[in-house]
C-alpha cells in the first residue's frame, strides 16, 4: 500500500531533550516536506526537500533540523525542544518538486502529536 | 507571495442541505489550488485539485469547486451534506511559477464543518 508513515504518533517529552520524528514514504517520491499544524493557523511548512541531499527552509524552520540521506526517509530533528514546539506534525511527499511546478498532489502521513513540557 | 483566506472558521449545516465553504486566494503566478479534508484524529486527504484545466473541478464524496480567476475564489460546495462530512477543510494554494520552491503549499486556516442531524 502506498503510504507515508511517521513515528512516533504521540510523544511527550521535556524541554531540552533531543528527539527525532521519522518519516518514510514507499512511493519513490522526490519531494518531501514537514509541516506543523496549530489551531487557527492551518499547516505551516517547516522544511522541505526536493531530492536526496537537497533540503531548504520553509516558513517556520527555527528550532528544527532535517536530513535527506535516502530518497524514502526524511527525519525531523528537534535538538533542544521547547514548549512552543508543542504541535501536531505532518510529513508529506509528492512525485516531483520543481518540474511539477506545484501541480502534484501531496500525500500526508498520519501525524505526530508532540507535547514538550 | 501566495496566500489563502478561508472566510469562515466554522460552518454548521443540517444533514441533506447544501454545503458552501468559501476560499479566496492570492498568487503572483498561475496557481494550483487544492481542497484537503481532515477528519478528527486523522491525516489529511485530498478532496480535489485545480491545475489550470477545467474551472469546475469535481472531487471525491460529491464535492466540487469552481475556480474563478476574476474573483480570486475557489469555493467548495456539495449539494447535500452527510453526517460523515463533518471534518475540518483546508483550502491550499501552490505556486506553479517558482521552481526553486518546488511543491510548496500554503494552507488556509481551515474551516470546521459541523453537520446536524
Amino acid at each position: 500500500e502506498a503510504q507515508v508513515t511517521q513515528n512516533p504518533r504521540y510523544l511527550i517529552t521535556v524541554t531540552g531533550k533531543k528527539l527525532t520524528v521519522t518519516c518514510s514514504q514507499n512511493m519513490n517520491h522526490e519531494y518531501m516536506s514537514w509541516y506543523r499544524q496549530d489551531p487557527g493557523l492551518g499547516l505551516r511548512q517547516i522544511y522541505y526537500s526536493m531530492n536526496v541531499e537537497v533540503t531548504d527552509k520553509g516558513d517556520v524552520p527555527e528550532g528544527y533540523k532535517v536530513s535527506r540521506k535516502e530518497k524514502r526517509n526524511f527525519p525531523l530533528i528537534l535538538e533542544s525542544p521547547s514548549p512552543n514546539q508543542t504541535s501536531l506534525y505532518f510529513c508529506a511527499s509528492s512525485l516531483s518538486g520543481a518540474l511539477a511546478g506545484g501541480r502534484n498532489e501531496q500525500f500526508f502521513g498520519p501525524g505526530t502529536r508532540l507535547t514538550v513540557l | 507571495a501566495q496566500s489563502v483566506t478561508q472566510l469562515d472558521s466554522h460552518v454548521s449545516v443540517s444533514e441533506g442541505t447544501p454545503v458552501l465553504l468559501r476560499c479566496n486566494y492570492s498568487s503572483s503566478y498561475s496557481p494550483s489550488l487544492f481542497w484537503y479534508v481532515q477528519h478528527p484524529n486523522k491525516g489529511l486527504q485530498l478532496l480535489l485539485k485545480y491545475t489550470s484545466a477545467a474551472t469546475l473541478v469535481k472531487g471525491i464524496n460529491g464535492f466540487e469547486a469552481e475556480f474563478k480567476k476574476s474573483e480570486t475564489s475557489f469555493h467548495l460546495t456539495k449539494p447535500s451534506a452527510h453526517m460523515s462530512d463533518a471534518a475540518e477543510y483546508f483550502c491550499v494554494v501552490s505556486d506553479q511559477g517558482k521552481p526553486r520552491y518546488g511543491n510548496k503549499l500554503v494552507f488556509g486556516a481551515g474551516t470546521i464543518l459541523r453537520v446536524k442531524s
Side-chain angles (χ1 to χ4, degrees):
Chain A
E1 180 190 355
Q3 60 182 345
V4 178
T5 57
Q6 295 178 226
N7 282 293
R9 294 289 312 280
Y10 301 90
L11 179 60
I12 300 174
T13 189
V14 296
T15 298
K17 186 176 181 182
K18 180 179 178 180
L19 65 92
T20 299
V21 183
T22 64
C23 172
S24 182
Q25 49 92 7
N26 62 2
M27 296 169 279
N28 202 35
H29 284 170
E30 291 181 356
Y31 184 90
M32 298 186 74
S33 182
W34 275 103
Y35 299 87
R36 61 177 289 173
Q37 182 181 14
D38 302 291
L41 296 177
L43 277 74
R44 295 176 292 167
Q45 190 180 52
I46 302 170
Y47 268 93
Y48 65 96
S49 170
M50 302 274 275
N51 213 325
V52 176
E53 301 294 358
V54 180
T55 63
D56 207 346
K57 296 177 181 178
D59 297 318
V60 288
E62 294 78 20
Y64 304 96
K65 286 175 56 177
V66 294
S67 68
R68 188 92 182 272
K69 294 185 172 60
E70 308 164 278
K71 199 170 189 178
R72 64 183 293 130
N73 296 322
F74 190 47
L76 179 69
I77 303 155
L78 284 72
E79 295 269 3
S80 182
S82 63
N84 64 11
Q85 293 178 296
T86 292
S87 187
L88 179 58
Y89 291 86
F90 287 99
C91 180
S93 72
S94 67
L95 189 61
S96 171
L99 292 179
R103 286 183 289 276
N104 282 334
E105 169 190 356
Q106 287 193 21
F107 293 83
F108 285 82
T112 295
R113 187 167 293 280
L114 172 66
T115 301
V116 183
L117 302 175
Chain B
Q2 63 270 46
S3 65
V4 176
T5 301
Q6 292 183 242
L7 297 163
D8 307 289
S9 59
H10 292 79
V11 169
S12 183
V13 302
S14 297
E15 191 175 21
T17 64
V19 175
L20 170 64
L21 305 184
R22 299 182 295 164
C23 171
N24 287 113
Y25 72 91
S26 170
S27 177
S28 303
Y29 299 87
S30 180
S32 289
L33 292 157
F34 307 80
W35 277 98
Y36 280 84
V37 61
Q38 184 180 28
H39 287 93
N41 299 313
K42 300 283 188 184
L44 285 91
Q45 180 184 20
L46 180 70
L47 273 181
L48 50 82
K49 68 178 180 181
Y50 165 78
T51 56
S52 73
T55 57
L56 182 61
V57 181
K58 294 189 184 300
I60 62 172
N61 300 334
F63 285 94
E64 62 181 39
E66 186 171 8
F67 173 71
K68 292 187 176 180
K69 187 175 182 178
S70 61
E71 299 176 11
T72 61
S73 69
F74 191 57
H75 301 334
L76 182 70
T77 60
K78 182 174 180 177
S80 176
H82 191 271
M83 295 297 290
S84 61
D85 295 328
E88 188 165 16
Y89 293 79
F90 293 97
C91 182
V92 183
V93 65
S94 178
D95 198 337
Q96 292 193 39
K98 295 183 176 179
R100 176 178 178 271
Y101 297 109
N103 210 9
K104 179 182 172 67
L105 301 182
V106 176
F107 282 74
T111 298
I112 294 173
L113 176 64
R114 178 180 170 223
V115 181
K116 298 175 288 186
S117 58

